[in-house]
Amino acid sequence: MIDENKKKVLELFAEGRRYYKLMEFAKALQFFSDALRVDPNDGPSKVYYLRCKHYIDNPPPEDWDGVFVMTTK
C-alpha cells in the first residue's frame, strides 16, 4: 500500500516527466521541485531536477531523443 505522500510524489514526478519529454524543462523543473518538497529524499526527482537545470542552461538539440548523456564522471 502506498501512503498519501508517496502517491503525491508519484503524481508530481509523472507530470514532470511529461514536460521533460516535451523539452519544457522549466515546467518540468517545477514539478520535480514540488515532489522534492513533499519528499526531499526522492532520488528520481532529484536526478530529473538536476537534469532540468542542466538543460535550461544547455538546451539539447531539437532532435533530442530524451536520453541524458553524461559528459563528466
Side-chain angles (χ1 to χ4, degrees), residues 3-4 6 13 22 27 35 37 48 59 63 73:
D3 70 23
E4 288 304 310
K6 194 59 174 173
F13 182 82
L22 294 171
K27 285 182 183 177
R37 269 196 283 287
Y48 278 92
D63 64 347
K73 189 171 181 182

Side-chain angles (χ1 to χ4, degrees), residues 23-69:
M23 296 174 55
E24 295 186 31
F25 301 113
K27 285 182 183 177
L29 181 73
Q30 187 59 55
F31 281 98
F32 297 128
S33 178
D34 290 347
L36 289 169
R37 269 196 283 287
V38 175
D39 180 0
N41 296 313
D42 184 61
S45 294
K46 282 182 188 178
V47 168
Y48 278 92
Y49 177 88
L50 293 173
R51 287 181 183 178
C52 286
K53 288 185 71 125
H54 171 80
Y55 283 136
I56 288 168
D57 294 336
N58 307 287
E62 287 192 28
D63 64 347
W64 180 64
D65 61 4
V67 175
F68 183 79
V69 178

